[in-house]
């Protein structure tokens, strides 16, 4: 039959061609019966006898998982006459199943009837395994890139088609439903200020036949901009023209933000260190200046031919500068307590007008000394009695008005007081030198002054403003610079929370006449505070403090006894049975805390008053817990000392 259609074909030639084919080949009848296999079949399966007379449904060398699928496809071709093509696994003579591509075509006679099927099986096992490995590698790469939140893209330079990964579309804010797969869509997402730079870098890398690495901003949405790092590589054709561009995009917004925060933190730390260095230099100057005066005039006071008027003048200078040093130390301690959250605010019923009068008597005198007018105004009706912390309010006013006096050489300073909705405010207006915008930005920072140069005209430690602000915040308010103009003056406002304890006899708005309302008394000790006959045991290791306390007590008529350390103090207490013990806390050997506990454990019932240079509230609480009756901080204030001791006098 074949010879009739192909005259040149004869049986011998066909058989030779059949067996010389490199593929496994077969001939089958129109109904699917195998008529013949070539030598490649026998070489593959290793047994000719098993293959003769096979039908596909009885085929024993197909992989079990592929058999039904193969039979179904073969029957379809037999039924329709369409060419047969399928991939399946066939068992080799050594038992290994290898992938093959099976193909078969029908051979027809002159009338179109199928007279035979001719088929081949091509071994594609190695290619199939390579494709599987490649697919697995691509899957692993995709998973790794997705897990690392790395987006990737591919642009076909010939067709213009652009493929983006889901990660990239999500990162860039591209909606997969509306994405048109064009490069322009991607370029338009780049921030306009970066777009030309990025495109130039891409073109440059193409010209130089290298990859590119660039950072730029992406407009993820109208309200969100991200920063990405993009790496790309052009692939060129044989003529050196761009064929495609592939690359990755990583969202580095958080990293850039962290880098910026790190830079800002480093700059802030450097600025803080510089400020602290300047602060220490200023602090050294501010402390050594009054100490120099103290030491200098103390030395001059030793002159034998010094008259009483000069001596009194020198002592006034020593006293004034000693208080200056004490004020600096107190400011440092107060700021430390506020910053650590250990500043405790008291709430006492205070006559507001009397407090203002006491404050004005001191600050008004300083202002007049500088040739400045100082006035106090009530801008609203003021309650008579308020629940506030008088010590801290007085400290705020002293710092705020004192600052205005320091920086005002002429004109006036006014203090405007308001009370509304439980908010007490003090507005301080001056006609001083004013503050520039640059200087205003540095205010209210610890250790920072508006003028930190060595040629500055005005002194100070740089603690006053920040301490005042923290004190106001501790009392539920704030301290701000309301306005300032260089050469014109400044206005600061201090606010704090206060509650009305009594609204009787409120102060009407207007200029306040405070001269007759001050409750200030002289620092001189009144006669009723004399300590005649009071037996006082002083436990103190410092010779200078021993001598100071001896002179103060004996001048007031007290009987003075001395112990130089804690152990000696305990022994003297039981030997002398004093009316009062004044005991230093920090001493070598047995300190004050141990001595007080020892005294109480052995039955001493008398008052024991602690003396300590540690002026923190925690130290006072610890002293009381150790058995002390009362607490006084050093340097000892004469009036406070005598007033405290007088409470334990027998008279």
């Amino acid at each position: 039959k074949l010879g009739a259609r192909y005259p040149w074909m004869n049986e011998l030639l066909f058989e030779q061609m059949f067996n010389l084919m490199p593929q496994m080949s077969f001939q089958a009848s129109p109904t699917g019966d195998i008529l013949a296999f070539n030598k490649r079949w026998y070489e593959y399966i290793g047994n000719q006898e098993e293959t003769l007379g096979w039908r596909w449904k009885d085929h024993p060398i197909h992989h079990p998982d592929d058999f039904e699928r193969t039979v179904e496809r073969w029957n379809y071709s037999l039924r329709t006459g369409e060419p047969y093509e399928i991939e399946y696994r066939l068992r080799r003579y050594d038992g290994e199943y290898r992938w093959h591509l099976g193909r078969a075509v029908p051979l027809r006679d002159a009338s179109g009837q199928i007279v035979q099927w001719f088929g081949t099986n091509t071994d594609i096992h190695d290619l199939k395994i390579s494709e599987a490995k490649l697919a697995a590698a691509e899957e692993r790469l995709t998973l790794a890139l997705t897990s690392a939140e790395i987006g990737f893209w591919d642009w076909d330079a010939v067709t213009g088609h652009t493929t983006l990964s889901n990660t990239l579309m999500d990162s860039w804010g591209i909606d997969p439903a509306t994405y048109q797969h064009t490069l322009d869509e991607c370029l338009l997402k780049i921030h306009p200020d970066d777009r030309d730079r990025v495109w130039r870098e891409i073109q440059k890398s193409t010209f130089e036949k290298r990859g590119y690495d660039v950072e730029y901003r992406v407009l993820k949405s109208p309200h969100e901009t991200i920063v990405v790092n993009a790496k790309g590589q052009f692939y060129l054709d044989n003529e050196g023209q761009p064929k495609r561009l592939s690359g990755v995009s990583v969202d580095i917004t958080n990293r850039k933000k962290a880098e910026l925060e790190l830079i800002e933190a480093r700059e802030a730390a450097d600025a803080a260190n510089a400020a602290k260095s300047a602060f220490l230099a200023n602090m050294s100057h501010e402390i050594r200046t009054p100490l120099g005066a103290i030491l200098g005039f103390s030395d001059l006071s030793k002159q034998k031919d010094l008259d009483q008027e000069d001596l009194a003048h020198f002592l006034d200078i020593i006293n004034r500068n000693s208080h200056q040093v004490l004020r600096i130390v107190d400011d440092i301690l107060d700021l430390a307590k506020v910053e650590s959250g250990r500043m405790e605010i008291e709430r006492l019923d205070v006559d507001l007008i009397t407090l203002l009068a006491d404050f004005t008597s001191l600050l008004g005198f300083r202002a007049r000394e500088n040739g400045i007018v100082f006035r106090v105004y009530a801008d609203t009706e003021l309650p008579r009695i308020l629940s506030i912390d008088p010590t801290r309010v007085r400290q705020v006013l002293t710092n705020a008005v004192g600052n205005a006096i320091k920086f005002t050489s002429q004109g006036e300073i006014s203090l405007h007081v308001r009370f509304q909705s439980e908010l007490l405010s003090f507005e301080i207006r001056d006609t001083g030198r004013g503050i520039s915008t640059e200087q205003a930005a540095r205010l209210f920072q610890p250790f920072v002054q508006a003028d930190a140069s060595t040629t500055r005209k005005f002194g100070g430690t740089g603690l006053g403003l920040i301490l005042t602000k923290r004190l106001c915040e501790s009392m539920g308010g704030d301290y701000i610079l309301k306005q300032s103009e260089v050469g014109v003056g400044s206005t600061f406002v201090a606010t704090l929370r206060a509650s009305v304890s009594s609204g009787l006899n409120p102060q009407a708005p207007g200029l306040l006449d405070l001269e007759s309302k001050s409750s200030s008394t002289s620092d001189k000790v009144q006669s009723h505070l004399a300590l005649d006959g009071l037996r006082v045991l002083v436990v103190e290791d410092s010779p200078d403090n021993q001598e100071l306390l001896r002179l103060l007590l004996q001048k007031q008529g007290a009987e003075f006894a001395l112990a130089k350390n804690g152990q000696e103090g305990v022994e003297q207490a039981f030997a002398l049975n004093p009316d009062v013990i004044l005991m230093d806390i920090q001493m070598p050997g047995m300190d004050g805390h141990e001595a007080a506990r020892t005294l109480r454990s052995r039955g001493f019932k008398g008052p024991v008053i602690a003396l300590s240079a540690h002026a923190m509230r925690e130290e006072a609480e610890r002293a009381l817990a150790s058995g002390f009756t009362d607490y006084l901080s050093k340097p000892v204030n004469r009036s406070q000392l005598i007033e405290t001791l007088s409470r334990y006098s027998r008279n």
Side-chain angles (χ1 to χ4, degrees):
K1 294 180 180 179
L2 288 174
R5 186 169 182 130
Y6 307 102
W8 49 270
M9 178 71 72
N10 58 52
E11 186 174 344
L12 179 61
L13 179 60
F14 178 81
E15 184 177 351
Q16 289 178 341
M17 292 178 61
F18 186 53
N19 286 315
L20 287 174
M21 292 185 67
Q23 292 98 342
M24 298 164 57
S25 302
F26 66 90
Q27 293 173 274
S29 69
T31 60
D33 296 322
I34 300 298
L35 302 176
F37 289 103
N38 69 353
K39 290 182 178 181
R40 296 291 180 268
W41 267 98
Y42 302 136
E43 292 172 357
Y44 185 80
I45 65 173
N47 189 336
Q48 176 178 352
E49 297 299 329
E50 290 183 3
T51 64
L52 296 178
W54 278 353
R55 291 180 62 84
W56 285 113
K57 66 178 181 178
D58 303 322
H59 216 301
I61 64 173
H62 279 85
H63 192 284
D65 293 343
D66 301 338
F67 180 74
E68 290 186 8
R69 177 171 57 87
T70 304
V71 170
E72 181 180 347
R73 184 68 182 84
W74 176 241
N75 288 333
Y76 175 80
S77 294
L78 292 176
R79 187 172 62 253
T80 62
E82 293 183 7
Y84 166 80
E85 181 171 321
I86 191 173
E87 293 179 359
Y88 47 69
R89 286 162 289 181
L90 296 178
R91 189 184 71 235
R92 197 168 59 178
Y93 63 87
D94 58 2
E96 179 186 1
Y97 283 97
R98 294 182 63 84
W99 282 97
H100 285 73
L101 173 63
R103 289 193 177 111
V105 294
L107 301 179
R108 302 176 186 272
D109 60 14
S111 65
Q113 293 294 318
I114 297 176
V115 296
Q116 194 178 110
W117 286 86
F118 183 82
T120 62
N121 281 272
T122 305
D123 190 325
I124 59 170
H125 188 78
D126 293 338
L127 177 62
K128 193 76 173 178
I129 296 302
S130 296
E131 289 178 348
K133 289 181 178 179
L134 179 60
E138 289 179 349
E139 184 178 358
R140 289 194 298 272
L141 175 60
T142 300
L143 179 62
L145 292 174
T146 303
S147 300
E149 297 184 347
I150 298 175
F152 55 92
W153 78 88
D154 181 78
W155 173 58
D156 189 322
V158 178
T159 64
H161 185 85
T162 305
T163 302
L164 306 179
S165 70
N166 291 334
T167 301
L168 189 141
M169 285 192 284
D170 181 63
S171 174
W172 285 37
I174 296 175
D175 185 358
T178 59
Y179 178 52
Q180 300 296 313
H181 298 278
T182 65
L183 182 62
D184 286 344
E185 288 178 275
C186 301
L187 294 176
L188 288 175
K189 295 291 288 185
I190 299 176
H191 194 286
D193 294 343
D194 299 343
R195 201 171 293 154
D196 290 342
R197 173 176 59 84
V198 173
W199 186 243
R200 285 196 302 270
E201 178 61 25
I202 293 175
Q203 290 177 316
K204 182 179 179 181
S205 68
T206 306
F207 178 76
E208 297 176 357
K209 298 181 180 179
R210 60 168 176 80
Y212 71 86
D213 186 339
V214 63
E215 292 181 3
Y216 51 86
R217 291 164 292 175
V218 171
L219 301 174
K220 185 172 183 177
S221 72
H223 309 292
E224 182 180 1
T225 300
I226 63 172
V227 182
V228 302
N229 174 236
K231 293 180 174 65
Q233 178 69 53
F234 266 108
Y235 298 92
L236 310 178
D237 60 18
N238 294 334
E239 298 179 358
Q241 296 300 314
K243 181 179 180 181
R244 67 188 321 107
L245 171 65
S246 298
V248 296
S249 169
V250 182
D251 185 342
I252 59 172
T253 306
N254 291 334
R255 190 188 82 190
K256 298 298 287 187
K257 182 179 179 181
E259 290 175 355
L260 181 60
E261 290 175 348
L262 182 61
I263 293 172
E264 292 175 347
R266 186 182 296 114
E267 291 176 348
D270 291 342
N273 288 332
K276 289 180 181 178
S277 297
F279 164 73
L280 291 174
N282 288 341
M283 185 64 69
S284 175
H285 170 78
E286 292 299 319
I287 292 178
R288 293 174 72 88
T289 297
L291 283 178
I294 293 169
L295 293 172
F297 282 99
S298 296
D299 188 56
L300 289 175
S301 299
K302 299 176 184 178
Q303 298 178 82
K304 294 182 180 180
D305 58 346
L306 192 66
D307 60 40
Q308 289 298 313
E309 185 178 348
D310 285 340
L311 177 60
H313 178 59
F314 293 168
L315 291 177
D316 283 342
I317 295 175
I318 293 171
N319 184 63
R320 183 170 62 251
N321 282 276
S322 297
H323 280 87
Q324 173 69 6
V325 174
L326 182 60
R327 185 186 64 79
I328 293 172
V329 173
D330 285 344
D331 279 354
I332 296 173
L333 291 176
D334 282 342
L335 182 61
K337 286 189 285 187
V338 173
E339 294 288 2
S340 64
R342 292 179 294 178
M343 173 69 75
E344 294 189 13
I345 302 299
E346 296 181 311
R347 293 287 177 179
L348 304 175
D349 288 348
V350 177
D351 187 316
L352 178 61
I353 303 304
T354 300
L355 184 149
L356 291 173
D358 291 346
F359 159 76
T360 303
S361 65
L362 175 63
L363 271 294
F365 176 76
R366 284 177 52 186
R368 288 191 295 272
E369 276 190 324
N370 290 1
I372 304 168
V373 176
F374 178 57
R375 296 189 178 95
V376 181
Y377 296 88
D379 286 0
T380 65
E381 188 177 78
L382 301 178
R384 193 67 184 182
I385 306 297
L386 286 176
S387 178
I388 54 177
D389 188 328
T391 301
R392 299 307 173 190
V393 172
R394 197 175 290 111
Q395 191 174 1
V396 166
L397 290 174
T398 299
N399 284 342
V401 177
N403 231 31
I405 293 174
K406 182 167 67 172
F407 293 105
T408 302
S409 58
Q410 60 181 1
E412 69 174 53
I413 296 172
S414 59
L415 173 63
H416 295 259
V417 187
R418 300 183 184 89
F419 183 80
Q420 290 178 318
S421 303
E422 295 194 340
L423 192 68
L424 181 62
S425 68
F426 302 98
E427 184 169 295
I428 302 96
R429 305 172 187 172
D430 66 59
T431 57
R433 63 199 301 250
I435 301 171
S436 68
T437 303
E438 180 182 355
Q439 291 171 332
R442 297 197 301 268
L443 292 180
F444 307 115
Q445 297 180 28
F447 319 124
V448 175
Q449 293 179 293
D451 180 8
S453 67
T454 58
T455 60
R456 61 201 178 109
K457 177 181 177 181
F458 304 96
T461 61
L463 296 178
L465 288 174
I466 182 61
L467 175 57
T468 303
K469 186 176 184 68
R470 293 290 185 264
L471 287 173
C472 288
E473 290 172 346
S474 298
M475 292 184 284
D478 202 355
Y479 182 54
I480 63 170
L481 172 63
K482 183 177 181 179
Q483 67 87 27
S484 186
E485 184 178 347
V486 176
V488 176
S490 304
T491 299
F492 285 84
V493 179
T495 56
L496 56 98
R497 289 288 169 186
S499 57
V500 178
S501 293
S502 173
L504 298 177
N505 302 317
Q507 175 64 50
L511 177 64
L512 298 182
D513 178 13
L514 301 173
E515 291 185 6
S516 61
K517 299 177 181 179
S518 174
S519 66
S520 298
T521 59
S522 170
D523 190 43
K524 295 180 181 180
V525 179
Q526 304 299 318
S527 60
H528 70 276
L529 295 180
L531 306 176
D532 294 338
L534 185 69
R535 293 177 300 163
V536 182
L537 172 61
V538 174
V539 186
E540 170 66 64
D541 64 316
S542 168
D544 291 337
N545 284 333
Q546 292 170 4
E547 181 65 12
L548 174 62
L549 290 170
R550 184 185 67 80
L551 292 172
L552 288 175
L553 294 173
Q554 289 182 346
K555 187 175 181 180
Q556 292 302 123
E559 296 179 12
F560 176 86
L562 176 66
K564 298 178 181 179
N565 55 60
Q567 182 62 48
E568 186 178 332
V570 172
E571 295 171 358
Q572 291 271 42
F574 287 102
L576 300 176
N577 192 27
D579 297 319
V580 181
I581 298 177
L582 286 176
M583 184 180 293
D584 185 30
I585 285 183
Q586 189 167 325
M587 293 182 291
M590 180 184 287
D591 67 6
H593 290 293
E594 185 179 354
R597 288 192 292 268
T598 302
L599 284 170
R600 298 310 185 194
S601 67
R602 292 173 57 180
F604 186 82
K605 302 297 184 182
V608 184
I609 301 173
L611 296 175
S612 176
H614 297 287
M616 306 294 280
R617 185 182 185 91
E618 293 80 0
E619 185 65 17
E621 293 173 350
R622 184 184 172 200
L624 296 177
S626 295
F628 285 99
T629 311
D630 214 329
Y631 179 91
L632 292 173
S633 61
K634 294 180 178 180
V636 176
N637 179 280
R638 182 176 53 142
S639 297
Q640 189 177 11
L641 172 66
I642 297 173
E643 182 181 358
T644 300
L645 290 175
S646 69
R647 294 201 295 268
Y648 306 103
S649 174
R650 293 171 300 173
N651 298 329

